[in-house]
Amino acid sequence: MTLCGEDAVFLYHSRSKDAPPGRGVGEELHAPEATYAALGRFPDWRRALSNFADSPFILDALTWGSVEHFFQASKFVTLEPAYYRSFSVDSGSRLGGTHGAEIKSAGGKRGLPLGAADRAHWEQIKDDVMRRALLAKFTQNAEHQAILLATGLAKLTHRPLRASHTRVEVELMEVRARLRIMKTAP
């Protein structure tokens, strides 16, 4: 299964500026612009790819406001079930209705820090947790699914705000490939 080609590299984050495909900061386009014309018709398409994008979905019988909500909450599913549920929209908690960096912070050291053994376990499962959340988001939100599919075989990369590194988003490209297969299956 081919995840990406070399004709385009798109970079996104939660506050990406709206620009045509290939014209964003850190992007490359070695294909005709028309290849990604459908993608360019979605305003702020880069932001829709972000884990912080407001894109409610249901997973594990709870509604989550974003991929980041589910991802951060999943660190606590067995350790602190009430805290886990507080990240969900269904909880009615302030945390479940919060967006942005506050969610990431609540799942990090400023929330409930993980001990060494729990951190090691999280490191082993976090990529699978991310895949599950991304698949739920992009199968339950038609517009965001259309945006992801319109990225074609572009390499999708992410640079968090104030970060010096850029990450190739393998899990997101795996979900994109899976959606393509689902779309073509009879």
Side-chain angles (χ1 to χ4, degrees):
M1 166 173 34
T2 301
L3 293 183
C4 65
E6 296 300 321
D7 70 335
V9 176
F10 297 144
L11 178 97
Y12 68 91
H13 57 78
S14 62
R15 294 186 186 165
S16 292
K17 291 193 179 356
D18 196 18
R23 294 195 190 164
V25 174
E27 293 186 348
E28 298 176 27
L29 187 59
H30 306 289
E33 287 186 21
T35 306
Y36 297 99
L39 181 60
R41 288 193 277 277
F42 292 100
D44 289 316
W45 60 270
R46 288 175 188 83
R47 291 181 183 196
L49 297 175
S50 170
N51 293 346
F52 290 101
D54 184 22
S55 183
F57 59 90
I58 298 170
L59 187 56
D60 295 343
L62 292 169
T63 302
W64 306 93
S66 70
V67 168
E68 195 68 21
H69 282 86
F70 180 79
F71 184 75
Q72 296 299 334
S74 293
K75 295 174 183 178
F76 309 101
V77 67
T78 57
L79 298 172
E80 295 287 340
Y83 192 59
Y84 161 78
R85 284 188 300 280
S86 75
F87 283 78
S88 74
V89 173
D90 302 319
S91 71
S93 73
R94 185 188 61 74
L95 188 55
T98 300
H99 296 282
E102 192 170 344
I103 296 301
K104 187 173 183 176
S105 181
K109 293 175 185 170
R110 293 185 185 170
L112 291 179
L114 298 176
D118 294 325
R119 170 62 61 193
H121 175 69
W122 174 247
E123 290 299 320
Q124 290 177 341
I125 67 167
K126 70 180 185 179
D127 292 344
D128 289 332
V129 169
M130 180 59 73
R131 277 185 206 90
R132 290 185 65 227
L134 290 169
L135 187 60
K137 170 187 174 175
F138 288 104
T139 56
Q140 296 176 39
N141 184 308
E143 181 178 12
H144 288 188
Q145 181 181 108
I147 289 169
L148 180 57
L149 290 172
T151 64
L153 285 176
K155 181 184 286 184
L156 301 177
T157 62
H158 176 252
R159 183 179 311 135
L161 296 173
R162 296 182 294 281
S164 60
H165 66 283
T166 299
R167 181 181 191 280
V168 175
E169 289 296 326
V170 173
E171 296 84 10
L172 183 57
M173 292 187 294
E174 288 172 347
V175 167
R176 178 179 65 189
R178 189 165 171 189
L179 288 172
R180 269 191 260 127
I181 291 168
M182 292 166 61
K183 286 285 191 187
T184 59

